[in-house]
Amino acid sequence: MMALPRYLNILRAQMRISATTAMQYRFDFVLKGILALFWLAVSLVPLLVVFSRRPMLAGWTFPESLVVLGWFSLLKSILDGGVTPSLTSVVEGVRSGAFDFVLLKPADSQFLVSTARFDPWRILDLLGAVAIIVYAFGRLGRAPAPLHILIALALLFVSIAILYSFWILVVCASFWAVRVDNLTYLFGSLFDVGRWPVDVFRSAVLRVIFTAVFPIALMTTYPARALLGSLTTQTLGAVFLGGALIIASSRLVWLRAIRAYTSASS
Amino acid sequence: MIRHILRAYPTLLRVGLAELIAYRTEFLIWIFTTTMPFVNMALWTAVAADGPVGRFGAREFVTYFLGTFVTRIITGSWVVWELTMDIRQGALGARLLRPLHPLISYSAQHLAAVPLRALIVTPLLFLLSWLLGQHLNFTDPARLAILFAAFAGAWWLFFFTMVIIGTLALFVDSALSIFDLWLGIHSILSGYLVPLELMPPWVARIAQHLPFRYIMGYPVETLVGLNDIHSALIDLGIQWLYVAGFGLAALSLWRLGIKRFAAFGG
């Protein structure tokens, strides 16, 4: 544990660099922030249209579905702000050969690439998502219990860890097949499934896929259920176990993959 | 001049096709990232499980969103990214040296992808015609002709829109952000996310007259038989008026902007 303060220092330095870089593009910051809020509004449209026609959707009311959508946006903003930028730049680095310099640095390579870049303007996105959730609970006329918030936050932590692990696997794939950048788009478009409660999918096969294989239900529907107070403790246990498994295996794959890495020029 | 273009065009198309085949995996992955229609299909069939919405039952929703997928794939291109990149990196200079208007070579390059795109969606077209059954006579030559013209019109309208926004990169830095904004508005007002007739009446009425619908909603309605021949024909006229208008606008904007490109390099 001697290494911990050192790694915290590195993290602080990396974050400062990201923040300074972002500050150079002030106009961009505002523009991207506005665009993020705009897309948040666009994502509300199908939900508004559905509920202008129906009081319930697959057993979910309007405010309850809003909680799911809000949680989806929250998770997406964290992913797009803290995870995706760093890992897209590794894929670029592998292609250009700049990744070699990361390997030469005297710190854990996975830590270095994972903290290389942050997008601070995603904060606006995050605030928008929180506003949606708060509004939804306002409509419900109650606040979530503190315990339920804690469970939801724990689930958020597990979801980010799982998404991060998936990303690490994608990056590892780039050591062998260099062009994987559109794999990341595929990933993003699959992620869109999480906008709505998983009960919307009427086929049982799809529901199993989105719960166990690509566990998007676990990342948005379950936390929303936790906030609403309708999640059982058994499911919670299973979620944590599954999450821990995925994280551990992605670390193992990274350690193996890094040994197999041959530079772009060799 | 025209003879000159006509002689060069087949070769340009062949080059475009060869480029596409060289990047076939990428091309396929791009197509797989179009998941939004299917996510919306799941959402709306869940809604229709409790009874039809307007004239949309479960079957109508399935055919409609299959239609949006088919239309998106056939009429899509990516010229805005290419154009902004060429402008920013200066590759446009090489294109300007050729004895052919760059917009013509761009259009050939992207038109070359259409047969392949159509080939990919052919199985879906069979599925569509089976689902539509006796509701739509696919073999009616008049409807087929209109459908074909509607797809062509949608392709050119989308292409010219992208050229206009891409050309803006000669004037401002944030052309791609403008395109992002356009995409968001488009997804709501074109009928891509929600069939326009299910939108609030005042939105539907406004959207009826805007160009967005002629890129997506109108070809889809014609494909799945939501409109009668008479109104399909009138809409076709409006669509091609928009194509002509947008084409002229693209050309004039190009002429204005290209002077600034010279200023960049000189």
Side-chain angles (χ1 to χ4, degrees):
Chain A
M1 279 291 107
M2 279 289 283
L4 191 63
R6 185 164 149 255
Y7 277 96
L8 279 178
N9 257 336
I10 298 177
L11 180 66
R12 216 170 37 226
Q14 302 253 56
M15 285 180 114
R16 202 175 46 231
I17 295 170
S18 291
T20 349
T21 317
M23 281 314 170
Q24 290 179 322
Y25 302 96
R26 276 176 297 265
F27 176 68
D28 220 38
F29 186 93
V30 175
L31 190 72
K32 281 186 173 155
I34 292 172
L35 269 176
L37 292 179
F38 166 74
W39 275 104
L40 203 60
V42 169
S43 70
L44 281 172
V45 170
L47 209 65
L48 288 171
V49 177
V50 166
F51 283 101
S52 71
R53 303 270 171 172
R54 290 278 195 279
M56 291 278 260
L57 168 66
W60 291 71
T61 63
F62 175 59
E64 287 168 353
S65 318
L66 262 188
V67 175
V68 177
L69 186 69
W71 200 268
F72 167 83
S73 315
L74 179 80
L75 186 58
K76 193 171 158 57
S77 69
I78 296 176
L79 187 69
D80 288 348
V83 179
T84 324
S86 299
L87 296 175
T88 354
S89 62
V90 199
V91 177
E92 272 165 36
V94 170
R95 189 161 31 177
S96 69
F99 180 63
D100 299 10
F101 301 121
V102 176
L103 288 178
L104 289 175
K105 286 178 184 161
D108 182 73
S109 54
Q110 186 179 351
F111 178 83
L112 282 181
V113 298
S114 308
T115 55
R117 219 160 76 193
F118 298 94
D119 265 349
W121 56 269
R122 289 282 174 189
I123 292 274
L124 291 170
D125 222 358
L126 190 129
L127 291 177
V130 172
I132 289 182
I133 298 173
V134 170
Y135 172 75
F137 274 96
R139 287 281 299 247
L140 283 169
R142 64 191 167 92
L147 176 68
H148 295 155
I149 298 182
L150 264 181
I151 297 176
L153 286 177
L155 281 172
L156 179 69
F157 179 74
V158 176
S159 324
I160 294 169
I162 292 175
L163 286 168
Y164 167 76
S165 307
F166 267 110
W167 254 108
I168 286 291
L169 293 178
V170 169
V171 173
C172 290
S174 77
F175 293 166
W176 286 285
V178 177
R179 297 224 60 152
V180 292
D181 45 345
N182 38 36
L183 215 63
T184 66
Y185 285 100
L186 194 62
F187 184 82
S189 65
L190 276 176
F191 191 60
D192 274 337
V193 170
R195 282 165 199 274
W196 293 299
V198 74
D199 307 280
V200 159
F201 296 96
R202 283 160 16 95
S203 111
V205 181
L206 276 182
R207 271 213 298 269
V208 169
I209 289 179
F210 292 136
T211 315
V213 184
F214 186 75
I216 191 69
L218 189 155
M219 299 174 194
T220 60
T221 310
Y222 283 33
R225 275 210 190 116
L227 277 183
L228 294 163
S230 56
L231 190 76
T232 57
T233 30
Q234 285 105 308
T235 8
L236 197 66
V239 166
F240 278 110
L241 199 68
L245 262 174
I246 295 180
I247 297 158
S249 49
S250 84
R251 175 67 181 170
L252 280 179
V253 171
W254 171 269
L255 289 176
R256 285 195 67 102
I258 208 79
R259 247 182 287 157
Y261 171 75
T262 48
S263 172
S265 53
S266 59
Chain B
M1 180 63 185
I2 298 278
R3 229 185 48 198
H4 187 65
I5 293 171
L6 283 180
R7 218 176 40 151
Y9 217 74
T11 317
L12 287 172
L13 285 176
R14 258 203 310 280
V15 172
L17 188 66
E19 256 178 283
L20 195 69
I21 288 170
Y23 292 101
R24 56 199 173 265
T25 336
E26 255 187 324
F27 178 68
L28 279 178
I29 290 181
W30 269 118
I31 286 182
F32 284 127
T33 59
T34 313
T35 51
M36 213 34 159
F38 297 104
V39 176
N40 281 312
M41 191 193 287
L43 175 74
W44 282 100
T45 45
V47 174
D50 316 330
V53 188
R55 49 178 181 148
F56 281 80
R59 204 224 334 246
E60 282 73 22
F61 279 123
V62 170
T63 53
Y64 185 87
F65 286 111
L66 270 180
T68 59
F69 179 79
V70 167
T71 308
R72 173 43 71 85
I73 296 302
I74 292 185
T75 63
S77 57
W78 59 97
V79 70
V80 69
W81 290 282
E82 196 164 21
L83 194 51
T84 45
M85 196 133 100
D86 282 356
I87 289 170
R88 202 169 23 186
Q89 301 186 340
L92 188 65
R95 281 183 188 267
L96 285 170
L97 285 177
R98 293 186 200 163
L100 199 68
H101 199 295
L103 290 189
I104 287 170
S105 62
Y106 279 125
S107 76
Q109 195 186 337
H110 290 272
L111 261 183
V114 174
L116 225 65
R117 287 166 172 270
L119 195 70
I120 286 168
V121 297
T122 309
L124 286 181
L125 283 174
F126 280 116
L127 179 66
L128 251 182
S129 73
W130 177 73
L131 280 173
L132 288 165
Q134 70 279 38
H135 290 263
L136 182 68
N137 192 359
F138 247 138
T139 47
D140 173 14
R143 185 171 271 278
L144 263 183
I146 294 176
L147 182 62
F148 195 77
F151 271 135
W155 191 92
W156 281 106
L157 195 52
F158 195 24
F159 177 80
F160 284 136
T161 311
M162 283 200 186
V163 168
I164 290 173
I165 298 175
T167 308
L168 287 179
L170 289 164
F171 302 91
V172 291
D173 294 329
S174 42
L176 277 181
S177 297
I178 296 174
F179 184 67
D180 209 26
L181 193 69
W182 181 88
L183 265 186
I185 299 170
H186 172 84
S187 64
I188 293 172
L189 292 179
S190 71
Y192 184 61
L193 286 180
V194 180
L196 278 179
E197 56 181 87
L198 301 185
M199 292 290 244
W202 63 273
V203 179
R205 213 170 313 125
I206 296 171
Q208 204 73 25
H209 302 290
L210 295 176
F212 305 103
R213 175 176 167 261
Y214 294 93
I215 296 177
M216 180 56 64
Y218 162 60
V220 175
E221 286 159 26
T222 314
L223 176 66
V224 301
L226 283 171
N227 53 6
D228 57 68
I229 286 274
H230 182 68
S231 66
L233 207 56
I234 295 174
D235 280 345
L236 188 66
I238 303 175
Q239 186 195 37
W240 278 92
L241 276 180
Y242 266 126
V243 172
F246 274 56
L248 274 177
L251 277 175
S252 350
L253 192 69
W254 179 271
R255 189 145 7 140
L256 270 176
I258 210 63
K259 291 183 190 132
R260 298 171 59 99
F261 184 73
F264 265 121

